[in-house]
Amino acid sequence: YLTFGQRNALAAFQQLILLLTEGQLSVPDREKHVKAIVGHYSEEKGAEFNEQVRNYLREHTKLMVVDYDVKIDLRHFESADRNYGDIDVLAYDRESCVLYNIECKDTVMAKNIYQIYLEIRKYIGFNDDEKKNALIWKHYRRHEWLSEHKQEMANYLKVGKVKDVKSIVITSTVLPVTYLKGNESPLPIVSYRDIVVEEGNMEVLCKTNPIWR
């Protein structure tokens, strides 16, 4: 037999609400309505983190920061051959003419070995098949498109030119995958803490991965 007191029931309820509002509640695919609610909270928190990064860059750097997510698809860019997803934070350095493609992830730190395994699988993948759907490689494909269409991005931003494109993934928490598999990532992965430490110096932050040095 299992016995639950009022405190146990209250603690369980509070944990359930926390997981729901943090967008971390695990829900079976058949529960579409509940998954939609979890997705709503997850998108809401993601949008808040995007804005947090934008505000920090505006206040602590000289970068020109776009006020909204930028969609890279055929509807918004004629040369887009597919939907490459949204650029969470798009910034431009007027002095160096470098375009920064910043992907923001409102994350929850892995707390055990299995969660670390799932994190690596989600972000980087363990084999070629998993890499096709891994988040980092998805963002890297967008980076490649931006690198091949620098003048189109310059026209979009109404600036003279874009000499180079640098892409980076910024997480709200420090992820173990950064240290365990960071050298296998095609893009640098840094935390919001790193941004604060470097005072928003994107040039330095983009060199955290050997591929960008």
Side-chain angles (χ1 to χ4, degrees):
Y1 294 96
L2 295 176
T3 303
F4 295 96
Q6 291 183 345
R7 290 183 180 178
N8 298 120
L10 179 60
F13 173 75
Q14 291 173 335
Q15 178 66 10
L16 181 64
I17 295 300
L18 177 64
L19 291 174
L20 177 65
T21 55
E22 290 288 324
Q24 299 298 319
L25 184 64
S26 179
V27 182
D29 291 336
R30 65 178 181 273
E31 303 294 343
K32 296 182 180 180
H33 296 296
V34 180
K35 285 183 74 70
I37 295 173
V38 175
H40 168 75
Y41 280 112
S42 180
E43 290 179 6
E44 193 174 70
K45 284 183 62 60
E48 290 175 357
F49 183 57
N50 292 355
E51 194 59 29
Q52 182 181 358
V53 174
R54 285 195 196 99
N55 289 336
Y56 186 88
L57 293 179
R58 288 193 195 102
E59 295 171 6
H60 297 86
T61 73
K62 296 181 180 179
L63 295 175
M64 181 181 81
V65 182
V66 178
D67 295 330
Y68 50 85
D69 295 8
V70 178
K71 297 181 181 296
I72 305 296
D73 56 22
L74 185 57
R75 180 182 176 185
H76 298 87
F77 294 91
E78 293 183 359
S79 60
D81 57 326
R82 53 177 287 187
N83 182 0
Y84 287 92
D86 298 356
I87 300 176
D88 292 334
V89 178
L90 183 63
Y92 178 74
D93 189 326
R94 295 182 179 89
E95 295 180 359
S96 63
C97 298
V98 172
L99 182 72
Y100 289 101
N101 164 39
I102 305 171
E103 179 68 22
C104 300
K105 293 294 182 186
D106 183 58
T107 54
V108 175
M109 187 180 298
K111 298 180 178 64
N112 55 55
I113 297 299
Y114 182 65
Q115 289 179 348
I116 293 175
Y117 162 79
L118 293 177
E119 184 181 278
I120 295 174
R121 190 176 183 181
K122 176 182 179 181
Y123 280 88
I124 296 178
F126 288 99
N127 53 53
D128 292 339
D129 288 336
E130 291 183 352
K131 287 180 180 179
K132 292 178 181 178
N133 298 314
L135 292 177
I136 297 298
W137 291 98
K138 172 186 173 183
H139 304 318
Y140 182 69
R141 288 190 285 272
R142 181 168 63 239
H143 166 81
E144 289 183 311
W145 185 91
L146 292 170
S147 298
E148 294 171 358
H149 298 84
K150 291 192 281 287
Q151 188 55 49
E152 189 168 356
M153 295 307 300
N155 296 340
Y156 178 83
L157 294 173
K158 297 180 180 179
V159 296
K161 60 182 176 180
V162 172
K163 286 184 178 180
D164 194 13
V165 176
K166 294 186 178 182
S167 300
I168 188 170
V169 177
I170 298 175
T171 60
S172 58
T173 60
V174 178
L175 298 183
V177 66
T178 306
Y179 301 96
L180 297 175
K181 289 285 186 177
N183 62 327
E184 297 181 19
S185 172
L187 301 179
I189 306 172
V190 302
S191 68
Y192 185 78
R193 183 195 66 178
D194 296 321
I195 297 183
V196 175
V197 170
E198 296 295 343
E199 297 181 339
N201 189 329
M202 297 305 297
E203 183 178 359
V204 172
L205 291 167
C206 284
K207 292 180 180 178
T208 57
N209 189 312
I211 197 173
W212 299 92
R213 291 175 185 168

